[in-house]
Amino acid sequence: MASAPSKLYADDVSLVVVLLDTNPFFWSSSSLSFSQFLSHVLAFLNAILTLNQLNQVVVIATGYNSCDYVFDSSSDLNRSFENGRMPVMCSSLLQKLEEFLITDEQLSKEEPEGKIKPSLFSGSLSMALCYIQRVFRSGALHPHPRILCLQGSLDGPEQYVAIMNAIFSAQRSSVPIDSCYIGSQNSAFLQQASYITGGVHHKPQNLDGLFQYLMTIFATDLHSRSFIHLPKPVGVDFRASCFCHKNTIDMGYICSVCLSIFCKHHKKCSTCGSVFGQAQSEAASASDKKRKTPET
């Protein structure tokens, strides 16, 4: 489906869709507490809204079982604008975020001890793109959209296909994906997302100054980025993760039907059930017989 035509406001008006990682498995072991992380993010969101009165902010919570919208400045702030931006945003966002965390935990199933579940990044990214397409098709003028991923959890290899599909959809719609990774290791998915869509990827070295990183790098609107020198990644990890052992690989086998990736050859795709090797073996056998048969 082709993207809807764009009807933009001024160059410096932004629609920022923030994907907020709420995975308790990560925050329980992080040097930065979740409450401290939220204080940095709330100050950043308030700054985005004060930079331009036409700016919009949407926050999507990313759990390990589900994801949901927890804040939309176009509706939440307008209902109680007389109380001020920051208090209304804090109370509305924190209330919905608490409800989301409870619901997401109730959906959890018993997992083997020691196994850490990744956040549902593919789901929140798809929701962000759906929201942006809905804005595109609303018929009214809209700001420049971009997505900001604030993630700390490890990549989920089982989400590889869904995430790559969403990344290419964002690229086709000219929606840059910015990413700020706050975990101990870096994220190959976020690096690829920012590289392919023309966004900015950064991994802060000092999490105590997260607000400064957010303001100096990710608060910049798309128009200003044409003449501002933002940090560029030293390298991008284009390696994929195999679906069988969840390992990052340099070379592997790809299913031609569903694009699942495996580190070793299998007779059957565990994702879509396609049979490997049978058709190729029969074709090779028929070709050998034809070459060996003497012409009469």
Side-chain angles (χ1 to χ4, degrees), residues 44 209-220 228-231:
F44 167 72
L210 180 61
F211 174 71
Q212 285 83 352
Y213 287 103
L214 294 175
M215 286 301 301
T216 55
I217 299 176
F218 300 106
T220 311
I228 292 181
H229 293 283
L230 296 175

Side-chain angles (χ1 to χ4, degrees), residues 226-241:
S226 59
F227 52 83
I228 292 181
H229 293 283
L230 296 175
K232 297 181 179 180
V234 178
V236 180
D237 188 358
F238 286 107
R239 293 179 299 171
S241 300

Side-chain angles (χ1 to χ4, degrees), residues 5 29-30 40 42-43 67 87 101 139 160 172 244 246 263 288 291:
S29 59
S30 174
H40 291 291
L42 289 174
C67 45
L101 291 174
Y160 178 76
R172 184 174 182 180
C244 45
K246 317 303 182 190
C263 58
D288 291 339
R291 286 198 301 266

Side-chain angles (χ1 to χ4, degrees), residues 89-292:
M89 181 178 66
C90 287
S91 60
S92 175
L93 192 153
L94 293 177
Q95 180 182 358
K96 292 183 179 179
L97 186 59
E98 183 179 2
E99 295 173 356
F100 169 80
L101 291 174
I102 296 174
T103 303
D104 190 56
E105 185 178 2
Q106 292 174 348
L107 295 174
S108 63
K109 300 178 181 179
E110 293 185 1
E111 294 291 334
E113 189 174 349
K115 182 178 181 180
I116 299 178
K117 296 184 64 175
S119 298
L120 198 60
F121 175 54
S122 59
S124 60
L125 186 58
S126 299
M127 291 180 66
L129 290 172
C130 288
Y131 184 93
I132 292 174
Q133 285 298 323
R134 190 162 65 245
V135 171
F136 281 164
R137 300 174 188 277
S138 62
L141 293 175
H142 61 79
H144 287 269
R146 68 180 188 268
I147 299 174
L148 172 58
C149 305
L150 300 177
Q151 184 178 337
S153 305
L154 297 175
D155 293 336
E158 66 279 359
Q159 304 178 47
Y160 178 76
V161 174
I163 289 176
M164 293 307 298
N165 287 338
I167 291 174
F168 291 130
S169 177
Q171 180 192 36
R172 184 174 182 180
S173 301
S174 300
V175 177
I177 300 177
D178 297 332
S179 55
C180 179
Y181 190 75
I182 55 180
S184 57
Q185 303 177 12
N186 215 330
S187 169
F189 289 169
L190 293 185
Q191 290 183 53
Q192 295 179 37
S194 298
Y195 178 84
I196 293 173
T197 61
V200 179
H201 174 79
H202 190 70
K203 185 180 183 301
Q205 299 300 320
N206 183 13
L207 293 180
D208 291 334
L210 180 61
F211 174 71
Q212 285 83 352
Y213 287 103
L214 294 175
M215 286 301 301
T216 55
I217 299 176
F218 300 106
T220 311
D221 59 78
L222 300 183
H223 173 68
S224 301
R225 294 184 183 188
S226 59
F227 52 83
I228 292 181
H229 293 283
L230 296 175
K232 297 181 179 180
V234 178
V236 180
D237 188 358
F238 286 107
R239 293 179 299 171
S241 300
C242 70
F243 287 31
C244 45
H245 299 95
K246 317 303 182 190
N247 295 326
T248 302
I249 58 176
D250 297 312
M251 298 181 63
Y253 298 86
I254 302 178
C255 174
S256 59
V257 178
C258 67
L259 301 182
S260 296
I261 302 173
F262 304 96
C263 58
K264 296 181 180 180
H265 178 71
H266 296 266
K267 294 182 178 180
K268 188 176 182 181
C269 177
S270 59
T271 304
C272 65
S274 300
V275 179
F276 297 150
Q278 182 176 1
Q280 292 88 336
S281 299
E282 292 178 355
S285 177
S287 178
D288 291 339
K289 290 181 179 179
K290 186 175 181 180
R291 286 198 301 266
K292 293 178 181 179

